[in-house]
Amino acid sequence: ESTIKELVDKEGCCLVVTTGGTGPAKRDVTPEATEAVCDRMMPGFGELMRQESLKYVPTAILSRQTAGLRGSSLIINLPGKPKAIRQCLDAVFPAVPYCIDLMDGPYLECDESVIKPFRPKSK
């Protein structure tokens, strides 16, 4: 919890990504730590990550990934297993640069050969 606050409040990170601690075990408290420091929650991130993970494992319903906003920062909790991290990050990351744009954060550029961000077309 204090590390997330430090990254956002002191270091000025516009994006904080955590991995692990999102399951049902007693030691899995990452979502609670995230919720404790966020001003607003972004439930669509967790919903999409679980939906994506369900394509691979039926136990995805046990995962409690979440995301939220603190100031001008987006905080995303990913699962702990490397393969699941990649699957979930690939699913949600296209929305991340636009989310940061909407919070007046820095303009994030991506290597579109790796992942293509989605930004609505300007008028």
PDB file of all heavy atoms in Angstrom, residues 56-81:
ATOM      1  N   TYR A  56      -8.723 -19.807 -20.973  1.00  0.00           N
ATOM      2  CA  TYR A  56      -7.626 -20.744 -20.752  1.00  0.00           C
ATOM      3  C   TYR A  56      -7.829 -21.652 -19.542  1.00  0.00           C
ATOM      4  O   TYR A  56      -7.433 -22.812 -19.578  1.00  0.00           O
ATOM      5  CB  TYR A  56      -6.305 -19.974 -20.581  1.00  0.00           C
ATOM      6  CG  TYR A  56      -6.027 -19.061 -21.742  1.00  0.00           C
ATOM      7  CD1 TYR A  56      -6.330 -17.700 -21.666  1.00  0.00           C
ATOM      8  CD2 TYR A  56      -5.482 -19.544 -22.922  1.00  0.00           C
ATOM      9  CE1 TYR A  56      -6.089 -16.847 -22.742  1.00  0.00           C
ATOM     10  CE2 TYR A  56      -5.237 -18.709 -24.005  1.00  0.00           C
ATOM     11  CZ  TYR A  56      -5.549 -17.363 -23.903  1.00  0.00           C
ATOM     12  OH  TYR A  56      -5.317 -16.526 -24.965  1.00  0.00           O
ATOM     13  N   VAL A  57      -8.414 -21.125 -18.473  1.00  0.00           N
ATOM     14  CA  VAL A  57      -8.584 -21.919 -17.246  1.00  0.00           C
ATOM     15  C   VAL A  57      -9.921 -21.620 -16.576  1.00  0.00           C
ATOM     16  O   VAL A  57     -10.316 -20.457 -16.458  1.00  0.00           O
ATOM     17  CB  VAL A  57      -7.447 -21.673 -16.224  1.00  0.00           C
ATOM     18  CG1 VAL A  57      -6.113 -22.175 -16.745  1.00  0.00           C
ATOM     19  CG2 VAL A  57      -7.344 -20.213 -15.842  1.00  0.00           C
ATOM     20  N   PRO A  58     -10.634 -22.660 -16.116  1.00  0.00           N
ATOM     21  CA  PRO A  58     -11.918 -22.422 -15.450  1.00  0.00           C
ATOM     22  C   PRO A  58     -11.756 -21.767 -14.078  1.00  0.00           C
ATOM     23  O   PRO A  58     -12.718 -21.211 -13.544  1.00  0.00           O
ATOM     24  CB  PRO A  58     -12.533 -23.818 -15.337  1.00  0.00           C
ATOM     25  CG  PRO A  58     -11.367 -24.746 -15.365  1.00  0.00           C
ATOM     26  CD  PRO A  58     -10.333 -24.086 -16.232  1.00  0.00           C
ATOM     27  N   THR A  59     -10.560 -21.817 -13.518  1.00  0.00           N
ATOM     28  CA  THR A  59     -10.327 -21.225 -12.197  1.00  0.00           C
ATOM     29  C   THR A  59     -10.152 -19.706 -12.243  1.00  0.00           C
ATOM     30  O   THR A  59      -9.933 -19.075 -11.210  1.00  0.00           O
ATOM     31  CB  THR A  59      -9.092 -21.859 -11.537  1.00  0.00           C
ATOM     32  OG1 THR A  59      -7.986 -21.747 -12.446  1.00  0.00           O
ATOM     33  CG2 THR A  59      -9.353 -23.318 -11.188  1.00  0.00           C
ATOM     34  N   ALA A  60     -10.276 -19.097 -13.422  1.00  0.00           N
ATOM     35  CA  ALA A  60     -10.165 -17.636 -13.534  1.00  0.00           C
ATOM     36  C   ALA A  60     -11.195 -16.923 -12.664  1.00  0.00           C
ATOM     37  O   ALA A  60     -10.967 -15.782 -12.254  1.00  0.00           O
ATOM     38  CB  ALA A  60     -10.311 -17.209 -14.988  1.00  0.00           C
ATOM     39  N   ILE A  61     -12.293 -17.592 -12.370  1.00  0.00           N
ATOM     40  CA  ILE A  61     -13.315 -16.964 -11.519  1.00  0.00           C
ATOM     41  C   ILE A  61     -12.820 -16.747 -10.093  1.00  0.00           C
ATOM     42  O   ILE A  61     -13.420 -15.984  -9.343  1.00  0.00           O
ATOM     43  CB  ILE A  61     -14.636 -17.764 -11.507  1.00  0.00           C
ATOM     44  CG1 ILE A  61     -14.416 -19.164 -10.944  1.00  0.00           C
ATOM     45  CG2 ILE A  61     -15.241 -17.812 -12.899  1.00  0.00           C
ATOM     46  CD1 ILE A  61     -15.690 -19.942 -10.706  1.00  0.00           C
ATOM     47  N   LEU A  62     -11.699 -17.379  -9.737  1.00  0.00           N
ATOM     48  CA  LEU A  62     -11.128 -17.207  -8.404  1.00  0.00           C
ATOM     49  C   LEU A  62     -10.238 -15.973  -8.313  1.00  0.00           C
ATOM     50  O   LEU A  62      -9.821 -15.583  -7.220  1.00  0.00           O
ATOM     51  CB  LEU A  62     -10.308 -18.439  -8.011  1.00  0.00           C
ATOM     52  CG  LEU A  62     -11.059 -19.769  -7.989  1.00  0.00           C
ATOM     53  CD1 LEU A  62     -10.106 -20.905  -7.670  1.00  0.00           C
ATOM     54  CD2 LEU A  62     -12.222 -19.721  -7.013  1.00  0.00           C
ATOM     55  N   SER A  63      -9.948 -15.371  -9.436  1.00  0.00           N
ATOM     56  CA  SER A  63      -9.035 -14.236  -9.463  1.00  0.00           C
ATOM     57  C   SER A  63      -9.764 -12.936  -9.132  1.00  0.00           C
ATOM     58  O   SER A  63     -10.914 -12.741  -9.500  1.00  0.00           O
ATOM     59  CB  SER A  63      -8.389 -14.129 -10.847  1.00  0.00           C
ATOM     60  OG  SER A  63      -7.402 -13.138 -10.825  1.00  0.00           O
ATOM     61  N   ARG A  64      -9.061 -12.053  -8.440  1.00  0.00           N
ATOM     62  CA  ARG A  64      -9.668 -10.795  -7.993  1.00  0.00           C
ATOM     63  C   ARG A  64      -8.914  -9.584  -8.536  1.00  0.00           C
ATOM     64  O   ARG A  64      -8.820  -8.554  -7.879  1.00  0.00           O
ATOM     65  CB  ARG A  64      -9.699 -10.770  -6.463  1.00  0.00           C
ATOM     66  CG  ARG A  64     -10.481 -11.926  -5.882  1.00  0.00           C
ATOM     67  CD  ARG A  64     -10.504 -11.972  -4.362  1.00  0.00           C
ATOM     68  NE  ARG A  64      -9.204 -11.814  -3.759  1.00  0.00           N
ATOM     69  CZ  ARG A  64      -8.868 -10.787  -2.959  1.00  0.00           C
ATOM     70  NH1 ARG A  64      -9.734  -9.847  -2.670  1.00  0.00           N
ATOM     71  NH2 ARG A  64      -7.655 -10.717  -2.447  1.00  0.00           N
ATOM     72  N   GLN A  65      -8.390  -9.700  -9.763  1.00  0.00           N
ATOM     73  CA  GLN A  65      -7.690  -8.556 -10.340  1.00  0.00           C
ATOM     74  C   GLN A  65      -8.611  -7.347 -10.350  1.00  0.00           C
ATOM     75  O   GLN A  65      -9.816  -7.474 -10.532  1.00  0.00           O
ATOM     76  CB  GLN A  65      -7.252  -8.825 -11.791  1.00  0.00           C
ATOM     77  CG  GLN A  65      -6.197  -9.857 -11.928  1.00  0.00           C
ATOM     78  CD  GLN A  65      -6.773 -11.140 -12.477  1.00  0.00           C
ATOM     79  OE1 GLN A  65      -7.831 -11.577 -12.081  1.00  0.00           O
ATOM     80  NE2 GLN A  65      -6.053 -11.766 -13.375  1.00  0.00           N
ATOM     81  N   THR A  66      -7.999  -6.182 -10.206  1.00  0.00           N
ATOM     82  CA  THR A  66      -8.765  -4.952 -10.202  1.00  0.00           C
ATOM     83  C   THR A  66      -7.895  -3.830 -10.735  1.00  0.00           C
ATOM     84  O   THR A  66      -6.726  -4.026 -11.050  1.00  0.00           O
ATOM     85  CB  THR A  66      -9.304  -4.635  -8.786  1.00  0.00           C
ATOM     86  OG1 THR A  66     -10.271  -3.598  -8.872  1.00  0.00           O
ATOM     87  CG2 THR A  66      -8.208  -4.267  -7.815  1.00  0.00           C
ATOM     88  N   ALA A  67      -8.458  -2.665 -10.821  1.00  0.00           N
ATOM     89  CA  ALA A  67      -7.717  -1.468 -11.199  1.00  0.00           C
ATOM     90  C   ALA A  67      -8.432  -0.266 -10.604  1.00  0.00           C
ATOM     91  O   ALA A  67      -9.624  -0.320 -10.307  1.00  0.00           O
ATOM     92  CB  ALA A  67      -7.638  -1.333 -12.721  1.00  0.00           C
ATOM     93  N   GLY A  68      -7.672   0.797 -10.420  1.00  0.00           N
ATOM     94  CA  GLY A  68      -8.256   2.007  -9.874  1.00  0.00           C
ATOM     95  C   GLY A  68      -7.418   3.222 -10.191  1.00  0.00           C
ATOM     96  O   GLY A  68      -6.326   3.116 -10.755  1.00  0.00           O
ATOM     97  N   LEU A  69      -7.947   4.360  -9.806  1.00  0.00           N
ATOM     98  CA  LEU A  69      -7.297   5.639 -10.067  1.00  0.00           C
ATOM     99  C   LEU A  69      -6.926   6.310  -8.754  1.00  0.00           C
ATOM    100  O   LEU A  69      -7.704   6.314  -7.808  1.00  0.00           O
ATOM    101  CB  LEU A  69      -8.243   6.564 -10.835  1.00  0.00           C
ATOM    102  CG  LEU A  69      -8.864   6.006 -12.110  1.00  0.00           C
ATOM    103  CD1 LEU A  69      -9.880   6.991 -12.663  1.00  0.00           C
ATOM    104  CD2 LEU A  69      -7.800   5.681 -13.131  1.00  0.00           C
ATOM    105  N   ARG A  70      -5.735   6.842  -8.728  1.00  0.00           N
ATOM    106  CA  ARG A  70      -5.286   7.680  -7.601  1.00  0.00           C
ATOM    107  C   ARG A  70      -4.715   8.937  -8.237  1.00  0.00           C
ATOM    108  O   ARG A  70      -3.719   8.863  -8.965  1.00  0.00           O
ATOM    109  CB  ARG A  70      -4.247   6.983  -6.754  1.00  0.00           C
ATOM    110  CG  ARG A  70      -3.749   7.850  -5.598  1.00  0.00           C
ATOM    111  CD  ARG A  70      -2.725   7.113  -4.745  1.00  0.00           C
ATOM    112  NE  ARG A  70      -2.212   7.962  -3.695  1.00  0.00           N
ATOM    113  CZ  ARG A  70      -2.756   8.099  -2.481  1.00  0.00           C
ATOM    114  NH1 ARG A  70      -3.839   7.399  -2.174  1.00  0.00           N
ATOM    115  NH2 ARG A  70      -2.221   8.896  -1.572  1.00  0.00           N
ATOM    116  N   GLY A  71      -5.354  10.054  -7.987  1.00  0.00           N
ATOM    117  CA  GLY A  71      -4.903  11.285  -8.623  1.00  0.00           C
ATOM    118  C   GLY A  71      -4.941  11.119 -10.131  1.00  0.00           C
ATOM    119  O   GLY A  71      -5.950  10.750 -10.701  1.00  0.00           O
ATOM    120  N   SER A  72      -3.805  11.341 -10.770  1.00  0.00           N
ATOM    121  CA  SER A  72      -3.687  11.197 -12.227  1.00  0.00           C
ATOM    122  C   SER A  72      -2.993   9.903 -12.603  1.00  0.00           C
ATOM    123  O   SER A  72      -2.325   9.830 -13.637  1.00  0.00           O
ATOM    124  CB  SER A  72      -2.918  12.389 -12.801  1.00  0.00           C
ATOM    125  OG  SER A  72      -3.644  13.571 -12.589  1.00  0.00           O
ATOM    126  N   SER A  73      -3.124   8.889 -11.771  1.00  0.00           N
ATOM    127  CA  SER A  73      -2.447   7.617 -12.015  1.00  0.00           C
ATOM    128  C   SER A  73      -3.438   6.471 -12.107  1.00  0.00           C
ATOM    129  O   SER A  73      -4.443   6.436 -11.395  1.00  0.00           O
ATOM    130  CB  SER A  73      -1.475   7.314 -10.877  1.00  0.00           C
ATOM    131  OG  SER A  73      -0.509   8.328 -10.781  1.00  0.00           O
ATOM    132  N   LEU A  74      -3.104   5.523 -12.975  1.00  0.00           N
ATOM    133  CA  LEU A  74      -3.865   4.289 -13.124  1.00  0.00           C
ATOM    134  C   LEU A  74      -3.077   3.169 -12.465  1.00  0.00           C
ATOM    135  O   LEU A  74      -1.876   3.019 -12.718  1.00  0.00           O
ATOM    136  CB  LEU A  74      -4.079   3.984 -14.610  1.00  0.00           C
ATOM    137  CG  LEU A  74      -4.716   2.645 -14.978  1.00  0.00           C
ATOM    138  CD1 LEU A  74      -6.125   2.519 -14.390  1.00  0.00           C
ATOM    139  CD2 LEU A  74      -4.736   2.466 -16.487  1.00  0.00           C
ATOM    140  N   ILE A  75      -3.730   2.410 -11.615  1.00  0.00           N
ATOM    141  CA  ILE A  75      -3.109   1.282 -10.911  1.00  0.00           C
ATOM    142  C   ILE A  75      -3.829   0.023 -11.357  1.00  0.00           C
ATOM    143  O   ILE A  75      -5.053  -0.059 -11.247  1.00  0.00           O
ATOM    144  CB  ILE A  75      -3.213   1.458  -9.381  1.00  0.00           C
ATOM    145  CG1 ILE A  75      -2.545   2.781  -8.961  1.00  0.00           C
ATOM    146  CG2 ILE A  75      -2.597   0.267  -8.659  1.00  0.00           C
ATOM    147  CD1 ILE A  75      -2.981   3.288  -7.610  1.00  0.00           C
ATOM    148  N   ILE A  76      -3.072  -0.943 -11.867  1.00  0.00           N
ATOM    149  CA  ILE A  76      -3.651  -2.186 -12.376  1.00  0.00           C
ATOM    150  C   ILE A  76      -3.036  -3.369 -11.646  1.00  0.00           C
ATOM    151  O   ILE A  76      -1.813  -3.482 -11.563  1.00  0.00           O
ATOM    152  CB  ILE A  76      -3.390  -2.353 -13.889  1.00  0.00           C
ATOM    153  CG1 ILE A  76      -3.920  -1.160 -14.677  1.00  0.00           C
ATOM    154  CG2 ILE A  76      -4.008  -3.654 -14.400  1.00  0.00           C
ATOM    155  CD1 ILE A  76      -3.529  -1.173 -16.148  1.00  0.00           C
ATOM    156  N   ASN A  77      -3.882  -4.268 -11.131  1.00  0.00           N
ATOM    157  CA  ASN A  77      -3.421  -5.515 -10.509  1.00  0.00           C
ATOM    158  C   ASN A  77      -3.545  -6.641 -11.512  1.00  0.00           C
ATOM    159  O   ASN A  77      -4.636  -6.943 -11.990  1.00  0.00           O
ATOM    160  CB  ASN A  77      -4.280  -5.888  -9.301  1.00  0.00           C
ATOM    161  CG  ASN A  77      -4.313  -4.854  -8.204  1.00  0.00           C
ATOM    162  OD1 ASN A  77      -5.285  -4.787  -7.476  1.00  0.00           O
ATOM    163  ND2 ASN A  77      -3.282  -4.051  -8.058  1.00  0.00           N
ATOM    164  N   LEU A  78      -2.436  -7.281 -11.821  1.00  0.00           N
ATOM    165  CA  LEU A  78      -2.412  -8.429 -12.722  1.00  0.00           C
ATOM    166  C   LEU A  78      -2.248  -9.707 -11.912  1.00  0.00           C
ATOM    167  O   LEU A  78      -1.818  -9.666 -10.754  1.00  0.00           O
ATOM    168  CB  LEU A  78      -1.244  -8.292 -13.705  1.00  0.00           C
ATOM    169  CG  LEU A  78      -1.310  -7.109 -14.665  1.00  0.00           C
ATOM    170  CD1 LEU A  78       0.014  -6.949 -15.401  1.00  0.00           C
ATOM    171  CD2 LEU A  78      -2.439  -7.291 -15.651  1.00  0.00           C
ATOM    172  N   PRO A  79      -2.541 -10.866 -12.522  1.00  0.00           N
ATOM    173  CA  PRO A  79      -2.316 -12.129 -11.807  1.00  0.00           C
ATOM    174  C   PRO A  79      -0.817 -12.357 -11.590  1.00  0.00           C
ATOM    175  O   PRO A  79       0.010 -11.548 -12.032  1.00  0.00           O
ATOM    176  CB  PRO A  79      -2.918 -13.180 -12.742  1.00  0.00           C
ATOM    177  CG  PRO A  79      -2.938 -12.543 -14.080  1.00  0.00           C
ATOM    178  CD  PRO A  79      -3.063 -11.063 -13.857  1.00  0.00           C
ATOM    179  N   GLY A  80      -0.469 -13.445 -10.953  1.00  0.00           N
ATOM    180  CA  GLY A  80       0.929 -13.697 -10.607  1.00  0.00           C
ATOM    181  C   GLY A  80       1.702 -14.588 -11.561  1.00  0.00           C
ATOM    182  O   GLY A  80       2.922 -14.537 -11.594  1.00  0.00           O
ATOM    183  N   LYS A  81       1.032 -15.415 -12.319  1.00  0.00           N
ATOM    184  CA  LYS A  81       1.733 -16.344 -13.206  1.00  0.00           C
ATOM    185  C   LYS A  81       2.117 -15.628 -14.507  1.00  0.00           C
ATOM    186  O   LYS A  81       1.275 -14.969 -15.123  1.00  0.00           O
ATOM    187  CB  LYS A  81       0.870 -17.553 -13.506  1.00  0.00           C
ATOM    188  CG  LYS A  81       0.645 -18.393 -12.263  1.00  0.00           C
ATOM    189  CD  LYS A  81      -0.070 -19.679 -12.557  1.00  0.00           C
ATOM    190  CE  LYS A  81      -0.149 -20.459 -11.261  1.00  0.00           C
ATOM    191  NZ  LYS A  81      -0.970 -21.615 -11.315  1.00  0.00           N
TER     192      LYS A  81
END
